[in-house]
Every structure is written in structure tokens, then in C-alpha cells.
Amino acid sequence: MFKLNKWLLVLSVIVFIGLLGLSVYYESIVYLYAASALPVAIVIFLPDLGRHQYIRLKPKAGVRFLKQTIGGDPVLTIAFKPGFIRWNHSRKLYFHLNSMGNSESSGATEAKAASGSASTEAALAVLPFDLSLHPRKQGWIGIDLPQLAERTRSLSYTTDEVSRLLIRMADLEAAAMKVMVTPGAVTANEGKQLQA
């Protein structure tokens, strides 16, 4: 769908330039009117790039994935600099499941927490209903940013101060299992229940 929009956008721009050229060559106002109406169609096909934000692990991205245990539950911590997330402009924050493999060990995290630097950072818990799959890209998990921002209204800090997102590994695995299950598939247990 996105590739189709890109090709339609390119085609629309070429037609626009062609109509402008024809209006000048033939000195026709009809071609000029057609060219002036075409930007409306071009705007419809423009992709909305600011709607989602993606975490891509680059050397200078400043984002770390940390696996640690909090209260007996394994937790994935996404650590970043405050202001990294565009809370007001993005609806979803996407990260790839493979990026968790590049995470630091919990020993390094515990050493950092013992030094006291991690205790002053503001964190938000990501709940199961905040997680969703990307509709087109396989392996990308999305976090609903407006829901997280709404929850900070009752907290003593704002979204601008948040530097960590905490996701329970069980919730993340449940969201990732939706990738493995095909829609409409019936498991053996469900089939036995349907027969009864």
C-alpha cells in the first residue's frame, strides 16, 4: 500500500508538471485549471510520515534495550534520553522484536542502579492493551503513546521527563504470539470444544 502511494505521488507530480508545460505551450487556461486542481489529489496520496515513530538501533541513537528482573517478573526496559519520543506528534512508537537481542545484561543494569543514576529517571509501565502489532511490517511491536501520555496526568512528572518504558516480558510475548497465530486458525483444543 505504501509503495502504491509513492508511485501515485510520483505520477501525480509528473502529470502536474506536464499540465503546466501544456498550459504554457498551448497558452490554454484549461490545462492551467487542470494543473491547479491536481495538488488536491497529490495531498491525498502524501504519506503521513510523522504519525509513527520507529526505534532503530544505530550507534548514536541513544536507545538501549535492557532485560532485567523487577519483583520476580522479567521486564524489558527501553531506555532513552528525555525528549527522544515525540509524544505530541506520534501515535505509535514501534520497535522490532530482534532489537531485544542486542540488549545489555541485567548485571550491567544492576551495577548502574547501584550507582544511583537509574533511580532518578522517570519510567512508565507499558500495559498489555498499550501493545499492538504493526499492520504491515512483520516483527514490529507498537506502543500506543496517547494512552501512556493520558496516564501521566495523574503522576508527579510529565512525558518530557520520561526516560524509560517498562514492558513485562509476558505481555510482550503475548503480543508477539499474535504474529505467529494466523487469523481464523483453530487450534486442536478449540476444535474439540467446538465439536462438543
Side-chain angles (χ1 to χ4, degrees):
M1 179 81 179
F2 184 69
K3 290 182 180 179
L4 177 66
N5 281 353
K6 281 176 39 177
W7 284 110
L8 288 174
L9 176 65
V10 169
L11 181 65
S12 299
V13 170
I14 290 170
V15 170
F16 176 73
I17 293 171
L19 287 173
L20 282 178
L22 287 173
S23 70
V24 171
Y25 183 75
Y26 290 116
E27 296 179 5
S28 172
I29 197 152
V30 174
Y31 289 119
L32 187 62
Y33 286 147
S36 65
L38 199 57
V40 174
I42 292 173
V43 169
I44 292 171
F45 294 120
L46 283 176
D48 189 5
L49 298 177
R51 205 167 139 199
H52 304 303
Q53 185 175 354
Y54 293 88
I55 296 177
R56 291 182 172 81
L57 290 181
K58 296 179 183 175
K60 295 184 179 180
V63 178
R64 294 185 324 265
F65 287 85
L66 311 167
K67 291 180 183 174
Q68 56 189 17
T69 304
I70 298 176
D73 288 333
V75 174
L76 174 71
T77 302
I78 302 174
F80 48 87
K81 295 176 184 174
F84 172 77
I85 296 177
R86 298 185 309 261
W87 293 95
N88 297 329
H89 303 293
S90 300
R91 296 213 32 87
K92 297 273 187 183
L93 175 69
Y94 285 104
F95 65 95
H96 200 276
L97 291 173
N98 291 341
S99 56
M100 294 184 318
N102 301 330
S103 61
E104 295 179 14
S105 66
S106 61
T109 306
E110 290 168 5
K112 186 176 179 181
S115 69
S117 62
S119 62
T120 59
E121 298 175 347
L124 278 176
V126 178
L127 302 177
F129 56 84
D130 295 328
L131 298 172
S132 63
L133 300 174
H134 195 285
R136 293 179 302 274
K137 295 183 179 182
Q138 191 172 9
W140 288 86
I141 301 288
I143 301 171
D144 195 336
L145 294 178
Q147 288 181 8
L148 290 179
E150 184 66 30
R151 262 188 259 138
T152 60
R153 291 181 189 230
S154 62
L155 300 175
S156 62
Y157 51 86
T158 65
T159 54
D160 295 331
E161 300 168 21
V162 172
S163 61
R164 292 181 297 154
L165 298 176
L166 307 174
I167 308 169
R168 288 182 50 228
M169 290 301 287
D171 298 339
L172 193 57
E173 289 170 3
M177 288 304 290
K178 293 178 187 176
V179 175
M180 306 297 179
V181 177
T182 57
V186 179
T187 63
N189 291 337
E190 290 176 16
K192 289 177 185 175
Q193 291 175 354
L194 292 175
Q195 290 176 356

XYZ file of all heavy atoms in Angstrom, residues 1-5 47-49 51-52 54 94 133-140:
184
model
N 0.827 -1.199 0.000
C 0.000 0.000 0.000
C 0.868 1.260 0.000
O 0.600 2.202 -0.726
C -0.920 -0.052 1.229
C -1.817 1.129 1.378
S -3.222 0.931 0.314
C -4.118 2.386 0.684
N 1.919 1.241 0.830
C 2.786 2.419 0.913
C 3.535 2.623 -0.399
O 3.693 3.749 -0.858
C 3.756 2.266 2.090
C 4.611 3.477 2.311
C 4.064 4.649 2.776
C 5.960 3.439 2.036
C 4.853 5.774 2.960
C 6.750 4.551 2.223
C 6.194 5.711 2.689
N 3.992 1.511 -1.044
C 4.690 1.625 -2.322
C 3.745 2.148 -3.398
O 4.142 2.934 -4.248
C 5.274 0.274 -2.734
C 6.434 -0.159 -1.874
C 6.989 -1.465 -2.348
C 8.157 -1.876 -1.460
N 8.732 -3.157 -1.874
N 2.487 1.711 -3.355
C 1.498 2.193 -4.309
C 1.288 3.695 -4.142
O 1.227 4.435 -5.128
C 0.179 1.449 -4.117
C -0.984 1.893 -5.000
C -0.681 1.568 -6.454
C -2.264 1.228 -4.552
N 1.214 4.174 -2.902
C 1.071 5.611 -2.648
C 2.268 6.393 -3.175
O 2.117 7.493 -3.703
C 0.888 5.879 -1.159
C -0.522 5.600 -0.702
O -1.399 5.324 -1.508
N -0.728 5.646 0.586
N 2.237 10.459 2.073
C 2.279 9.622 3.272
C 2.378 10.478 4.522
O 2.993 11.542 4.518
C 3.539 8.779 3.079
C 4.390 9.589 2.168
C 3.457 10.391 1.298
N 1.763 10.018 5.587
C 1.806 10.725 6.863
C 3.009 10.192 7.644
O 2.897 9.245 8.402
C 0.505 10.503 7.636
C 0.406 11.385 8.850
O 1.301 12.230 9.045
O -0.543 11.228 9.619
N 4.167 10.812 7.417
C 5.398 10.299 7.998
C 5.501 10.561 9.493
O 6.161 9.823 10.203
C 6.604 10.914 7.275
C 6.703 10.599 5.788
C 7.884 11.330 5.186
C 6.825 9.113 5.568
N 3.260 10.308 11.767
C 2.244 9.631 12.557
C 2.814 8.569 13.484
O 2.288 8.322 14.553
C 1.246 8.997 11.603
C -0.088 8.779 12.176
C -1.055 8.455 11.084
N -1.923 7.404 11.562
C -2.641 6.633 10.810
N -2.585 6.756 9.518
N -3.414 5.732 11.323
N 3.901 7.934 13.066
C 4.519 6.884 13.862
C 6.005 7.180 14.028
O 6.615 7.835 13.202
C 4.346 5.518 13.192
C 2.929 5.161 12.910
N 1.957 5.101 13.883
C 2.296 4.849 11.754
C 0.800 4.765 13.337
N 0.983 4.615 12.041
N 9.729 5.176 14.924
C 10.371 3.874 14.943
C 11.680 3.954 15.707
O 12.435 4.914 15.550
C 10.650 3.382 13.515
C 9.391 3.088 12.738
C 8.749 4.090 12.018
C 8.842 1.826 12.736
C 7.596 3.828 11.302
C 7.684 1.547 12.029
C 7.066 2.552 11.315
O 5.917 2.290 10.620
N 7.154 2.285 17.532
C 7.404 0.917 17.095
C 8.850 0.520 17.352
O 9.765 1.327 17.184
C 7.110 0.758 15.596
C 5.643 0.729 15.267
C 5.012 1.825 14.718
C 4.887 -0.413 15.516
C 3.663 1.794 14.410
C 3.539 -0.448 15.221
C 2.935 0.648 14.660
O 1.598 0.614 14.369
N 0.422 -4.832 17.151
C 1.290 -5.224 16.045
C 1.218 -4.179 14.944
O 0.190 -3.529 14.763
C 0.851 -6.574 15.483
C 0.879 -7.738 16.457
C 0.290 -8.967 15.794
C 2.292 -8.007 16.915
N 2.298 -4.037 14.205
C 2.277 -3.156 13.048
C 1.394 -3.805 11.983
O 1.494 -5.005 11.749
C 3.691 -2.942 12.509
C 3.795 -1.795 11.561
N 3.331 -1.861 10.263
C 4.298 -0.543 11.707
C 3.549 -0.719 9.655
N 4.131 0.105 10.511
N 0.517 -3.043 11.331
C -0.405 -3.656 10.371
C 0.270 -4.210 9.118
O -0.258 -5.125 8.500
C -1.365 -2.517 10.012
C -0.689 -1.270 10.427
C 0.269 -1.614 11.520
N 1.457 -3.701 8.756
C 2.095 -4.149 7.520
C 3.481 -4.738 7.710
O 3.890 -5.589 6.944
C 2.181 -2.985 6.529
C 0.835 -2.526 6.019
C 0.955 -1.370 5.056
N 1.623 -0.203 5.592
C 1.031 0.761 6.287
N -0.252 0.679 6.536
N 1.695 1.796 6.721
N 4.215 -4.295 8.713
C 5.596 -4.743 8.894
C 5.645 -5.856 9.933
O 5.246 -5.660 11.078
C 6.483 -3.580 9.339
C 6.614 -2.493 8.305
C 7.560 -1.417 8.779
C 7.720 -0.334 7.735
N 8.675 0.690 8.152
N 6.156 -6.999 9.526
C 6.193 -8.149 10.419
C 7.321 -8.010 11.436
O 8.423 -7.592 11.112
C 6.376 -9.420 9.606
C 6.160 -10.668 10.419
C 6.156 -11.904 9.545
O 6.481 -11.836 8.370
N 5.788 -13.018 10.115
N 7.035 -8.360 12.678
C 8.028 -8.321 13.735
C 8.116 -6.994 14.466
O 8.912 -6.850 15.383
N 7.316 -6.006 14.103
C 7.338 -4.698 14.758
C 6.182 -4.624 15.754
O 5.044 -4.897 15.413
C 7.225 -3.569 13.742
C 8.456 -3.384 12.926
C 8.785 -4.033 11.778
C 9.541 -2.497 13.201
N 10.001 -3.595 11.323
C 10.487 -2.663 12.168
C 9.793 -1.580 14.213
C 11.674 -1.936 12.132
C 10.975 -0.855 14.169
C 11.895 -1.037 13.138
